[in-house]
Amino acid sequence: PTVTKLSENFRHFLEKITKKKKERKEKKEPLPMGRSSSPPGLDGDGNENGKNNAINNNSDTNNNNNDQGFYSIRDRFPFKRNPGHSRDRIKQYSLLERPLVRNRARFNRKGLLHFPFRGIYLFYFLIFFSVFAFAVASMVMQSSITAMLFRQGGERSWRRSIREGLRFGSSLKFMPAGISRLLAEGGGLDPMRSTDRIGFRGPRLALVLGNMKKNSQSLMLVTVVKSLQRLGYEFKIYALDSGEAHGMWENLSAQFSFFGPEQFGHIDWSMFEGVIADSLEAKEAISSLMQEPFDTVTLIWIVQEDTLAKRLPVYEEKGLQHLVLNWKTAFTRANVILFPDFTLPMLYSLLDTGNFHVIPGSPVDVWGAESYSKTHEKQQLRKDNGFSMDDMVVLVVGSSFFYDELSWDYAVALQTIGPLLQRYTRRNDAGGSFKFIFLSGNSTDGYNDALQQVASRLGLPQGSVRHYGLDGDTNGVILMADIVLYGSSQEEQGFPPLIIRAMTFGIPVVDGAHCVFFPKHDPDALLRAFSLLISNGRLSKFAETVASSGRLLAKNILASECVTGYASLLVNLLYFPSDVLLPGPVSELQQASWEWNLFRKEIEHSNFDTSVDSSVVYTVEEELTKHIIDTSKNRTELQDQDALTGQDLDLVTEIENFEDYERLEMEEINERTERHLGVWDEIYRNARKSEKLRFEANERDEGELERTGQPVCIYEIYSGAGAWPFLHHGSLYRGLSLSRRARRLTSDDVDAVGRLPLLNSTYYRDLLCEVGGMFSIANRVDSIHKRPWIGFQSWQAAGRK
């Protein structure tokens, strides 16, 4: 309508100009906007004829020749050249005085060019503007319609921020950055293998187990540890609690021990080249790794659970920033936060400090599907959901990241499978009918109503399209399907977990990204691929072959990539001293499967317990939140108790006056009383004793008094608060701190940096190591040491027993 209206107006405008042109031709007038091909005539003064007259007439407003700029022939409308050589000077003079012509300057005051949108140029501009406006309006309308149909449920703020940054057809990926990029570009140990080394022990690794359960997480760790042992790594396993996997871990030819909260600070982590923590449950166990001298030990923290990721938005919403900061501090300590898939680092992005890394591969989906199939049957699931065994159930799944919304994936999927829906849902075979179910979002967000509206517009039968949410029995929805159709507008980096579960259930998968059945966004190719799996309303022999091969593929999918990923991570991250034998090359690993033989019994007798176990996430949340609640309650009670009345103020004043009277009276009595000062030797001895007990830097406890008359003093050299539990107490030992900020406050430890300023330099402190402590005692030794013999011992002597 806008284009039509503008065209009519412009047509009237052209008709008006044509009519005016015709009238001027009849009167034989020159066109006011024409351009003369002959030069203007000159008067006796060398000026154009008629121009001086116009200037003189306008001398009351401007006495100079500035009007010449308004007479420029370039400002005239370039419809047509006027070939006439004669011009009516009177008419020309009258036209120059017109405000319309005078104000039509080609250049403004700043010299900027103004293009006159007139004539054919204006017509072209209006057409271009109309087309552009129509395109923008179409895109806005399409986005609005999609939002109404496919985003019925409310988006959470933490996912909306990610979703708004995406455009249709774009990909959301975890890109290597920080430590992840360095590990990806690392050269490994090839340069070191070409040099001569004198090593006598293998590289030591500590593995901290958060639990001792036989689950998919333990299966992955056992497979990785056994493979790394073949390369020469030596493991020592620390378990926080006992469990059913105790015997399995003890059989791995590795040192094994339990330790509780009282032993967290009594482990010398510096004897290991690296420490691996297997889950969030190890958070409290690695607290000692945040202190010197253990803060430089390489820490790899594996995070496979999403418990904390679900709680982070709650902390943000309730303003519990101290909880977020607590976890972020713990995550920052780790050299690498390791995830088994590319979805988790996006969920934990609030805690990302540049140390996130992904090694894809985990048997969690296969474990869950096999455990579920042992306790559930397809026939019963179909009966419970209103499907018969004769129905052909087709499950449609999309991207696994935006699992709480019906995203663009399903809008595209509906457009792609539209012909498929119309062709198969209207068939009434003797055996049954086709049912299409969509798995996405939450079951209570109204997605089912949106799909039913789309189905009715496509003319599909009632009940042929249904929606299920991921907040329900996801495994049951997949198990009761006959065919799984995967179509996502996002190019996922890892293999989709829902597809792995479907393949484990023995269900044929039609996929446009990971298989060769049909290209994406091609309905005709989809129809051809789908028809290969259907024969007379039933699954074809080809479909059964695809399902069987898919189940074998899913059994050990990404197992080899996971093991080699861990081996490459260690060689690019760890530091190997000269006395350490280098591990074998990664190419020697031939592990292509998970260690299923160690867990077969647990899968066969599994009840697939979906209850949420207690987690350290809730423990930390309760402790820190309880502290805030108690503090707030105590503050409120104190405020109520501290509300003073007038009677209380009078009582306080009376007590203060009485105390002043008693003090003055006692001073007068003491002045009048005679006192015996005692023997001079006793007075001198008491004075010397008080000096001995004075609060000084090197005499802070009774250790100096106990060492009186002792022939030897052993200085224990340490650096950092992490070494405090390994230091001795008593008269024989005395601490010697290489870190001024980490000295024991209740002991008479010696400050090595204060006695030897050379140790203020990081270069010399790292070069001398514990020998620098010996030099600090030797510097002006008579000012600190009065014993005949001096001994030195590292704190590691007690730490390593």
Side-chain angles (χ1 to χ4, degrees):
T2 305
V3 176
T4 305
K5 184 177 180 180
L6 291 173
S7 301
E8 292 178 357
N9 293 338
F10 189 68
R11 182 168 51 81
H12 292 309
F13 174 69
L14 290 178
E15 291 177 355
K16 186 175 180 181
I17 290 178
T18 306
K19 184 177 179 182
K20 208 165 186 180
K21 233 174 128 187
K22 188 175 181 182
E23 291 176 355
R24 292 185 183 278
K25 265 191 174 182
E26 293 175 356
K27 294 180 180 181
K28 297 185 178 180
E29 292 182 354
L31 290 175
M33 309 302 293
R35 177 178 294 183
S36 177
S37 60
S38 60
L42 301 177
D43 56 11
D45 297 330
N47 297 321
E48 296 180 18
N49 293 332
K51 186 178 294 186
N52 286 339
N53 295 332
I55 295 173
N56 293 332
N57 291 335
N58 293 330
S59 60
D60 56 336
T61 58
N62 195 352
N63 294 326
N64 50 33
N65 292 335
N66 290 339
D67 284 343
Q68 291 181 10
F70 297 98
Y71 185 70
S72 175
I73 61 176
R74 290 174 296 178
D75 294 327
R76 300 171 187 171
F77 199 74
F79 267 123
K80 181 179 179 182
R81 292 181 179 269
N82 186 5
H85 294 274
S86 63
R87 192 181 294 268
D88 192 339
R89 306 301 181 190
I90 300 176
K91 293 291 183 180
Q92 186 182 26
Y93 163 74
S94 62
L95 289 174
L96 287 172
E97 285 189 333
R98 293 182 182 180
L100 180 63
V101 179
R102 289 171 59 88
N103 294 331
R104 191 178 299 146
R106 185 178 179 86
F107 293 87
N108 62 3
R109 293 180 181 179
K110 296 183 180 180
L112 299 178
L113 181 64
H114 291 285
F115 185 81
F117 287 105
R118 293 182 288 262
I120 194 65
Y121 297 102
L122 179 62
F123 179 69
Y124 289 153
F125 172 75
L126 292 176
I127 293 178
F128 172 77
F129 179 78
S130 302
V131 174
F132 177 76
F134 176 76
V136 173
S138 300
M139 289 188 293
V140 173
M141 184 181 301
Q142 184 177 4
S143 300
S144 303
I145 294 174
T146 305
M148 287 187 295
L149 290 179
F150 300 105
R151 300 176 71 172
Q152 298 289 333
E155 288 185 323
R156 298 189 179 98
S157 59
W158 65 298
R159 290 190 176 276
R160 187 185 299 115
S161 61
I162 300 177
R163 189 60 173 175
E164 289 176 353
L166 291 178
R167 296 180 179 179
F168 175 68
S170 62
S171 298
L172 185 65
K173 294 183 178 180
F174 173 78
M175 300 301 295
I179 189 65
S180 184
R181 178 176 299 176
L182 294 177
L183 294 175
E185 299 174 354
L189 299 178
D190 293 337
M192 299 180 65
R193 298 185 192 278
S194 59
T195 60
D196 295 333
R197 294 175 61 88
I198 304 176
F200 60 89
R201 66 174 180 87
R204 300 182 186 137
L205 295 176
L207 177 61
V208 181
L209 300 178
N211 58 70
M212 296 286 289
K213 297 181 179 180
K214 277 196 171 184
N215 51 21
S216 59
Q217 187 170 343
S218 299
L219 173 59
M220 187 273 290
L221 282 175
V222 169
T223 305
V224 171
V225 169
K226 292 186 68 174
S227 299
L228 294 179
Q229 284 180 331
R230 299 189 188 103
L231 296 180
Y233 290 95
E234 299 176 359
F235 280 87
K236 185 171 184 179
I237 301 173
Y238 295 95
L240 298 178
D241 194 7
S242 181
E244 55 190 7
H246 181 194
M248 180 191 64
W249 284 110
E250 284 188 335
N251 295 331
L252 288 181
S253 301
Q255 299 182 19
F256 186 90
S257 63
F258 291 98
F259 73 134
E262 62 278 359
Q263 288 89 27
F264 288 166
H266 292 79
I267 298 177
D268 181 10
W269 301 107
S270 62
M271 70 175 67
F272 302 105
E273 274 65 54
V275 179
I276 301 176
D278 77 320
S279 66
L280 294 175
E281 304 302 319
K283 176 180 182 295
E284 300 299 329
I286 63 176
S287 58
S288 60
L289 287 165
M290 301 181 184
Q291 300 175 331
E292 290 184 300
F294 307 128
D295 58 345
T296 58
V297 178
T298 302
L299 174 61
I300 302 172
W301 199 348
I302 305 173
V303 178
Q304 301 191 56
E305 55 269 60
D306 61 351
T307 309
L308 178 60
K310 295 178 180 178
R311 299 300 299 169
L312 288 176
V314 180
Y315 301 158
E316 287 282 298
E317 182 179 354
K318 294 184 178 180
L320 302 176
Q321 295 296 331
H322 63 287
L323 283 172
V324 179
L325 181 61
N326 181 276
W327 281 103
K328 192 169 187 177
T329 302
F331 271 42
T332 304
R333 167 57 188 93
N335 297 82
V336 174
I337 300 293
L338 200 56
F339 299 99
D341 61 66
F342 293 96
T343 302
L344 288 174
M346 300 181 192
L347 299 180
Y348 282 98
S349 59
L350 189 61
L351 306 179
D352 186 9
T353 58
N355 57 352
F356 282 10
H357 186 63
V358 178
I359 297 181
S362 174
V364 59
D365 294 298
V366 179
W367 181 291
E370 290 200 356
S371 301
Y372 189 88
S373 61
K374 301 295 182 181
T375 57
H376 295 77
E377 295 181 357
K378 175 178 288 192
Q379 183 177 1
Q380 185 63 37
L381 289 172
R382 288 199 171 193
K383 183 178 180 181
D384 296 339
N385 289 274
F387 297 104
S388 67
M389 291 302 297
D390 296 331
D391 291 335
M392 183 63 64
V393 180
V394 181
L395 175 64
V396 182
V397 297
S399 175
S400 59
F401 181 71
F402 299 105
Y403 56 81
D404 63 343
E405 59 177 307
L406 201 63
S407 61
W408 272 104
D409 295 343
Y410 291 90
V412 176
L414 279 175
Q415 181 181 1
T416 304
I417 70 173
L420 185 69
L421 290 170
Q422 296 176 352
R423 176 177 177 179
Y424 284 95
T425 56
R426 297 174 182 176
R427 293 175 56 181
N428 293 320
D429 296 334
S433 59
F434 282 81
K435 308 291 184 182
F436 286 82
I437 57 179
F438 291 79
L439 181 61
S440 173
N442 297 324
S443 57
T444 59
D445 286 341
Y447 294 141
N448 192 45
D449 296 337
L451 288 174
Q452 293 300 331
Q453 293 178 8
V454 175
S456 61
R457 293 179 182 179
L458 294 176
L460 305 181
Q462 184 70 22
S464 59
V465 178
R466 194 181 299 184
H467 171 264
Y468 287 91
L470 284 169
D471 55 341
D473 187 5
T474 305
N475 289 297
V477 176
I478 299 176
L479 181 58
M480 67 181 180
D482 293 304
I483 298 175
V484 173
L485 173 62
Y486 175 77
S488 174
S489 61
Q490 301 292 330
E491 294 289 347
E492 297 193 31
Q493 291 175 276
F495 205 89
L498 295 180
I499 300 303
I500 295 179
R501 298 193 182 195
M503 295 168 65
T504 305
F505 286 136
I507 301 173
V509 177
V510 181
D511 180 274
H514 301 283
C515 298
V516 293
F517 289 114
F518 75 100
K520 296 180 66 174
H521 315 311
D522 191 343
D524 295 334
L526 172 60
L527 283 172
R528 291 193 298 269
F530 194 84
S531 62
L532 295 175
L533 305 178
I534 302 298
S535 177
N536 297 326
R538 297 287 185 272
L539 291 178
S540 63
K541 294 293 184 180
F542 176 74
E544 296 176 358
T545 304
V546 170
S548 178
S549 61
R551 183 166 186 172
L552 294 176
L553 174 63
K555 186 73 173 181
N556 296 297
I557 192 169
L558 298 178
S560 178
E561 290 79 358
C562 177
V563 173
T564 56
Y566 273 86
S568 301
L569 170 68
L570 293 178
V571 298
N572 289 318
L573 185 65
L574 299 182
Y575 169 73
F576 299 92
S578 59
D579 62 333
V580 174
L581 295 171
L582 295 180
V586 180
S587 58
E588 293 182 0
L589 292 175
Q590 302 295 332
Q591 185 70 28
S593 61
W594 308 108
E595 297 289 338
W596 290 107
N597 56 318
L598 300 177
F599 296 84
R600 179 57 52 195
K601 184 183 298 184
E602 283 68 25
I603 296 178
E604 293 178 354
H605 298 85
S606 175
N607 294 323
F608 197 70
D609 185 13
T610 58
S611 60
V612 179
D613 297 333
S614 59
S615 173
V616 68
V617 176
Y618 301 108
T619 303
V620 173
E621 180 180 331
E622 183 179 356
E623 290 178 356
L624 297 182
T625 308
K626 182 180 179 181
H627 173 71
I628 293 179
I629 295 175
D630 293 343
T631 303
S632 178
K633 183 186 294 185
N634 295 334
R635 187 183 298 111
T636 304
E637 294 178 354
L638 289 175
Q639 289 176 355
D640 296 339
Q641 295 175 3
D642 291 342
L644 299 177
T645 62
Q647 185 178 0
D648 295 333
L649 295 176
D650 296 338
L651 181 61
V652 170
T653 304
E654 184 179 350
I655 292 175
E656 290 177 351
N657 293 336
F658 179 76
E659 290 178 351
D660 292 339
Y661 175 77
E662 288 286 339
R663 181 176 53 80
L664 294 174
E665 188 177 23
M666 290 301 297
E667 289 179 357
E668 293 177 357
I669 293 175
N670 292 333
E671 290 177 357
R672 297 172 184 174
T673 304
E674 295 183 2
R675 292 180 295 175
H676 179 64
L677 298 178
V679 184
W680 173 251
D681 294 339
E682 184 179 351
I683 296 175
Y684 180 76
R685 191 163 44 250
N686 292 334
R688 293 289 297 172
K689 185 176 181 180
S690 64
E691 291 179 359
K692 281 283 187 180
L693 298 177
R694 188 181 305 171
F695 187 80
E696 295 181 354
N698 59 347
E699 294 176 0
R700 301 193 179 200
D701 61 1
E702 299 179 357
E704 184 67 23
L705 297 176
E706 293 178 359
R707 281 188 284 270
T708 303
Q710 198 167 264
V712 65
C713 176
I714 300 176
Y715 293 92
E716 285 190 303
I717 307 174
Y718 72 93
S719 60
W724 289 354
F726 305 100
L727 301 179
H728 291 87
H729 299 274
S731 60
L732 181 62
Y733 296 91
R734 188 176 189 183
L736 179 59
S737 175
L738 296 176
S739 176
R740 176 173 292 181
R741 296 175 298 176
R743 294 171 56 194
R744 293 182 295 178
L745 301 179
T746 60
S747 182
D748 62 337
D749 293 352
V750 180
D751 180 15
V753 180
R755 291 188 55 80
L756 188 63
L758 182 69
L759 298 178
N760 275 318
S761 173
T762 305
Y763 171 77
Y764 289 108
R765 187 169 60 249
D766 295 340
L767 182 66
L768 297 174
C769 298
E770 294 183 346
V771 180
M774 302 180 189
F775 289 162
S776 68
I777 297 297
N779 185 31
R780 302 189 310 273
V781 64
D782 292 337
S783 65
I784 187 174
H785 190 78
K786 305 298 183 181
R787 308 282 75 77
W789 296 94
I790 301 176
F792 293 97
Q793 175 175 291
S794 172
W795 65 271
Q796 293 178 330
R800 303 185 183 183
K801 299 180 176 57

